[in-house]
Amino acid sequence: MKFILEIFKRILKIIAVYLIYGFVISLIVSFSGAAKNLLLFQTMGAMTLADYMILLAYMELLWLPLLVGMILSPNSYLAFPFSSWVVPVIVISFFFIMVYTAIKE
C-alpha cells in the first residue's frame, strides 16, 4: 500500500510540474505578444477577454502537444529569432524534470 501511495505522489508531482510549465508558458506567450502570431484575427473576429482566457487555459493544458507539433512542423509559428531552439529546450527540460521526479528516491 505504501508503494502505491509513493507512485501516486510521484504522478501528482509530475502533473503539478506539467501544469506549472503550462501556466508559465501561457503567461510568457500572453505578455510577450507572441499570441498574436498564434491567432488568426481575420478568421476569429473580435476576441473578448473571456475568449482569450479560455484559449490560454487550453494552451496551459495542451502546451506539450502544441510545442511538439511546432517542432515537427516545417512552418515557423513564432516570430522571435530564437524560437527554433527555445521550443525544443523547453520540451527537453520538461522531460528531464519529469524523469528526475519519477526516479528520485
Side-chain angles (χ1 to χ4, degrees):
M1 186 67 179
K2 188 176 180 182
F3 178 72
I4 294 173
L5 287 175
E6 191 66 34
I7 291 175
F8 187 67
K9 280 185 195 177
R10 290 182 185 183
I11 290 171
L12 287 178
K13 286 181 184 178
I14 291 171
I15 291 171
V17 168
Y18 181 84
L19 291 176
I20 289 170
Y21 260 74
F23 183 71
V24 170
I25 289 171
S26 295
L27 285 178
I28 291 171
V29 165
S30 182
F31 289 123
S32 70
K36 292 179 184 175
N37 295 331
L38 299 175
L39 300 176
L40 299 173
F41 290 109
Q42 295 82 9
T43 58
M44 294 184 75
M47 239 182 168
T48 65
L49 182 60
D51 294 335
Y52 188 72
M53 289 175 65
I54 290 171
L55 180 70
L56 287 180
Y58 283 137
M59 188 185 319
E60 183 177 342
L61 293 175
L62 300 173
W63 67 269
L64 188 61
L66 289 172
L67 290 183
V68 170
M70 283 183 183
I71 292 170
L72 298 177
S73 175
N75 300 326
S76 177
Y77 290 100
L78 300 174
F80 60 93
F82 302 114
S83 64
S84 62
W85 65 268
V86 169
V87 172
V89 166
I90 293 170
V91 173
I92 291 170
S93 68
F94 171 73
F95 280 119
F96 278 130
I97 290 173
M98 185 180 68
V99 168
Y100 176 74
T101 304
I103 63 173
K104 184 176 76 170
E105 292 196 49

